[in-house]
Amino acid sequence: MSNKIGKQTIKFDSKPSIISSYSVVGPKEDEGPLSDFFDLKIDNDLFDEKSWELAESKMLKEAISSAIENINLTANDIDFLLSGDLLNQLMSSSFAARDLKIPFLGLYGACSTMTESMCIGSMMLDGNYANKIAVSASSHFSSAERQFRFPLELGNQRAMTSQWTVTGAGSFILSNDNKYNHLPRITHATIGKVIDLGVKDASNMGAAMAPSAADTIAMHLSDTNRDISYYDLVVSGDLGHVGHRLCKEILHDRGIKEINNYTDCGILIFDRETQDTHAGGSGCGCSGVVFSGYIYKKLLKKELKKVLLMSTGALLSVTSSQQGQSIPGIAHAVSIEID
Amino acid sequence: MSNKIGKQTIKFDSKPSIISSYSVVGPKEDEGPLSDFFDLKIDNDLFDEKSWELAESKMLKEAISSAIENINLTANDIDFLLSGDLLNQLMSSSFAARDLKIPFLGLYGACSTMTESMCIGSMMLDGNYANKIAVSASSHFSSAERQFRFPLELGNQRAMTSQWTVTGAGSFILSNDNKYNHLPRITHATIGKVIDLGVKDASNMGAAMAPSAADTIAMHLSDTNRDISYYDLVVSGDLGHVGHRLCKEILHDRGIKEINNYTDCGILIFDRETQDTHAGGSGCGCSGVVFSGYIYKKLLKKELKKVLLMSTGALLSVTSSQQGQSIPGIAHAVSIEID
């Protein structure tokens, strides 16, 4: 019997539980509206390392190891680690995996990596290929800026459509053990298609990602035969203010018109008026820390009971942009519920 | 009941079949000893595109779509595409996935990506999350050289330990449908750990990857309680001449001493005497095309019946090298048998 329903959605009979969560954020995120929810706030964005890349990897390792330790486990209790980040060749995840010594699967879906790891991790648990899996993702404003855009020292002006890469790492421990059934559980995963409507402006990722984001939400609702109102909260990863608005417009065109429960992690994490982040937050870490820090805790308190979390990725590279290519987008969604 | 055996190995009760395979290679690979086995040989390494990166993506798309068409299917029949490559942000795979419109999971394990995709694809089939999955990987000498090393125009001398990135793309269609049980089937997957013994020489990837490769072979044999002689062939992805020798030495130190059935795709693909490739082939495409072009066909003819395929990856980036970091290695193995 297939566990796939519809075109792109997988239903988990065992509903793997999210048994632990840990978020690490940088100073700017600590100044934002969700500050109180994060687990560890670093006060300098080098995290006492020699480079931003090493700082990002250290944040990720800290998020994973603390998520493990918080439930009195050790790295040896974790079957597999699934992780990714924005750095070329996943430098942050690769070096964290080296130090943690957990069998490792590296993933890349740009900023969609957080839910990509949750989708694959849930399949591995539901299929009984593991008992406990760590999933994680990270990003860092300074390492991303210099890799994808300009040296920070240049002090370039930023477009109003541009987003601010979140300095943060989120990690979760997932398990298929029945004893965790009282915790938030992943019921479905919807794997996204790559969609590219021709946006070439690397300072407008929201517009590049919105079509794939809207498609994944629409496919999820169609595959599960649900109305969007089924969820207490639908939250995309990092479309920001521009992409969130466009995503709603596309959904409207596809007949999903009554949308009162949809927001975006990139909107939630920064204060638009005071933090000068223009179109909002982005980066793999954005949905990682907002889900870990904020939404997961609301699920535990049952202030939310049904959440659709969808991280969104812009699959551009410096090379593809320099070669005049447009920006493909992707989005993967996981449905998370607590009884 | 868990399908995980031992520390790092997954056993597939349904043994997903490899129902189609397609390889695309460049001119140099066409001049090598395996030429007759490859499906499509391009006569210029730009493949009539404007850049090597776009050429690589076109090769990958060609490999995937031909693997699909060869068994009279269409992209619509494929549930999910799992793919990765060496280019920053998986440019090759992302653009191929955009054009193919198959729901997509991007993977990065450097040159280990070919078997990483087979490991995850097999889990998704064995767990009944899909019926047919396309797995693939690509690399391109010219796009890799300029991204990881030097502009080709510089004409840099290459160290004798350096390897030659294969210009090639391999793709396989996997299925859990019983009607394909007469074809080669994936029985086990062993997920590797990241190991880094401190090698910093980016011109000696074989040495950087050998420890993780040897560890994955040793863990696979230990987890499955098998002697290495169980296999007709154990083949690593791209350790090349240097890494292959080191891997055998490490296995010897771990008590695996009688090794007469172990070779490496990077050794097989080029002629060491005449092709000036120094330590042999490398790149995600190396194990992709050697398995697709050569080993898979030997399995079909039952000249080989039990093969352990292990792609091997060096998880360095230009940034990590410039920051003085050593090179972490990883290797994932799949056991493939035909009745």
Side-chain angles (χ1 to χ4, degrees), chain A residues 188-201:
Chain A
H188 297 77
T190 299
I191 311 294
K193 293 192 292 279
V194 178
I195 297 180
D196 179 348
L197 297 189
V199 173
K200 290 189 178 186
D201 181 358

Side-chain angles (χ1 to χ4, degrees), chain A residues 1-4 7-12 50-54 76 78-80 86-91 93-95 97-99 101-109 116 119-120 122-131 146-148 191-196 314-320 323 325-328 330 332, chain B residues 1-4 7-12 50-54 76 78-80 86-91 93-95 97-99 101-109 116 119-120 122-131 146-148 191-196 314-320 323 325-328 330 332:
Chain A
M1 197 193 68
S2 173
N3 296 309
K4 184 180 161 199
K7 295 290 286 177
Q8 295 173 219
T9 300
I10 285 159
K11 182 170 177 287
F12 300 116
K50 283 186 178 168
S51 75
W52 292 313
E53 291 77 14
L54 294 175
N76 208 29
I78 307 300
D79 296 297
F80 303 110
L86 296 176
L87 294 179
N88 293 341
Q89 287 76 49
L90 311 188
M91 179 176 166
S93 297
S94 300
F95 282 80
R98 175 189 67 180
D99 296 344
K101 300 182 175 59
I102 305 169
F104 171 63
L105 293 166
L107 309 176
Y108 186 75
E116 182 182 353
C119 289
I120 297 177
S122 299
M123 286 188 257
M124 291 176 71
L125 289 164
D126 189 61
N128 278 315
Y129 307 115
N131 184 257
R146 73 168 165 189
Q147 178 180 284
F148 286 104
I191 311 294
K193 293 192 292 279
V194 178
I195 297 180
D196 179 348
L315 299 168
L316 84 168
S317 77
V318 171
T319 308
S320 68
Q323 294 184 4
Q325 300 299 308
S326 51
I327 304 173
I330 192 160
H332 307 294
Chain B
M1 199 193 67
S2 174
N3 296 308
K4 184 179 162 202
K7 294 291 286 178
Q8 294 173 217
T9 301
I10 285 158
K11 183 170 178 286
F12 300 117
K50 284 186 179 167
S51 74
W52 292 313
E53 291 76 15
L54 294 174
N76 210 28
I78 307 300
D79 296 297
F80 302 110
L86 295 177
L87 294 179
N88 293 341
Q89 288 73 51
L90 309 188
M91 177 176 167
S93 297
S94 301
F95 282 80
R98 174 189 69 180
D99 297 344
K101 300 182 174 60
I102 305 169
F104 171 63
L105 293 166
L107 309 178
Y108 186 75
E116 182 181 354
C119 291
I120 297 177
S122 299
M123 285 188 258
M124 291 176 70
L125 290 164
D126 189 62
N128 278 315
Y129 307 115
N131 185 255
R146 75 168 164 188
Q147 178 180 285
F148 285 104
I191 311 295
K193 295 191 291 280
V194 178
I195 297 179
D196 180 347
L315 301 168
L316 84 171
S317 77
V318 172
T319 308
S320 67
Q323 294 184 4
Q325 299 299 308
S326 50
I327 305 172
I330 193 162
H332 306 296

Side-chain angles (χ1 to χ4, degrees), chain B residues 22-26 37-42 47 59 62-63 66 169:
Chain B
Y22 200 86
S23 54
V24 181
V25 299
F37 293 91
F38 299 125
D39 295 307
L40 177 65
K41 303 144 194 183
I42 59 176
F47 206 2
M59 291 172 68
E62 184 66 33
S66 296

